[in-house]
Amino acid sequence: VIVDPDGLSVDQSYTLLIGSVVPRPIAWTSSISAAGKRNLAPFSFFTVVSVAPPMLLIAIEPASDRAMKDTISNVRQTGNFAVNVVSLELADEMAFTSEEHSPDVDEFEIAGLTPVRSEVIAAPRVGEALITMECVLEQTLKPGDYDLLIGRIVRFHISDELISDGRIDIGKLRPLGRLAGTYTAVDRIFRLPLGGAPASARQ
Ligand SMILES: Cc1cc2nc3c(=O)[nH]c(=O)nc-3n(C[C@H](O)[C@H](O)[C@H](O)COP(=O)(O)O)c2cc1C
């Protein structure tokens, strides 16, 4: 089928996007309100937008019938957030923090996670995460219906056991990937070429 997105409802567009842009990494985002209330929530509309300086982007759904998502309201108040990487072992805790909890609920507490003080920013990080990136809000954008938060990484926290030959060992990190409502684990890692010539040279 060929689809012109102009004719799609929001739900239809969302369904095509989450099935086509896969697998997606998950930014398990911790933040804190000006009053000091901690928050934690996952976002898979997430990518790198700059290397020097290092910057990340998360895209947050517009507010519907309920108030603004706590993450965006906290980041607007305090100007910082931390992105924690979700290893397979933390999948259930991550999913639990995605449920709608009122702003006065501390998702660290209800998910049984350890809030650890960050080095530079006010938002805490997830003690159990093997990688956390402390971010300072650099820019907000709204090119479409989602709010984009661009954060500049001011600290990487990387578990020592992950480092081999100066690189991060993805096999040890075991990052969780988001599909269309489902998830995937990294259980096969390989280099290219797989073998054989590229399709264009095979004719
Ligand atoms: C794996 C996963 C990925 C998600 N990705 C997004 C996303 O990219 N953008 C978004 O707005 N919501 C996303 N959500 C939903 C939010 O996590 C959810 O609305 C959450 O309650 C927001 O929390 P907050 O109000 O504490 O900020 C995702 C949920 C899950 C489980």
Side-chain angles (χ1 to χ4, degrees):
V1 290
I2 297 172
V3 178
D4 177 351
D6 279 356
L8 296 178
S9 68
V10 174
D11 282 354
Q12 289 169 326
S13 180
Y14 179 78
T15 302
L16 294 187
L17 285 164
I18 63 166
S20 303
V21 184
V22 281
R24 297 184 302 285
I26 299 169
W28 201 13
T29 306
S30 39
S31 60
I32 195 164
S33 70
K37 202 75 205 170
R38 291 185 287 254
N39 192 79
L40 184 59
F43 299 97
S44 69
F45 292 3
F46 162 51
T47 195
V48 171
V49 291
S50 170
V51 171
M55 291 185 190
L56 303 176
L57 175 152
I58 56 176
I60 304 189
E61 189 187 14
S64 50
D65 48 349
R66 81 177 189 97
M68 192 190 297
K69 293 205 183 190
D70 299 329
T71 300
I72 195 149
S73 118
N74 287 350
V75 174
R76 286 201 173 132
Q77 287 171 43
T78 59
N80 60 77
F81 59 95
V83 171
N84 305 274
V85 174
V86 185
S87 294
L88 195 56
E89 293 70 18
L90 294 169
D92 285 338
E93 285 81 353
M94 178 283 298
F96 190 56
T97 64
S98 79
E99 289 165 22
E100 230 176 83
H101 303 290
S102 80
D104 49 303
V105 166
D106 179 340
E107 278 103 355
F108 281 87
E109 249 169 54
I110 57 167
L113 295 161
T114 316
V116 176
R117 188 181 287 277
S118 289
E119 289 258 324
V120 182
I121 65 171
R125 61 190 177 91
V126 175
E128 289 77 4
L130 299 181
I131 298 183
T132 302
M133 292 158 281
E134 293 185 30
C135 298
V136 168
L137 182 67
E138 187 73 26
Q139 212 174 320
T140 57
L141 293 170
K142 194 161 183 153
D145 59 346
Y146 273 48
D147 287 295
L148 311 187
L149 299 180
I150 296 179
R152 179 167 45 83
I153 301 174
V154 291
R155 285 292 184 280
F156 285 92
H157 295 263
I158 302 163
S159 205
D160 291 345
E161 79 223 40
L162 289 183
I163 308 278
S164 74
D165 293 337
R167 288 176 179 265
I168 293 168
D169 185 331
I170 307 298
K172 287 187 183 155
L173 179 60
R174 294 172 25 108
L176 186 71
R178 179 64 157 160
L179 302 175
T182 49
Y183 296 89
T184 183
V186 175
D187 51 16
R188 189 170 168 223
I189 299 175
F190 50 85
R191 291 188 191 282
L192 293 181
L194 277 176
S200 58
R202 263 188 243 136
Q203 292 156 11

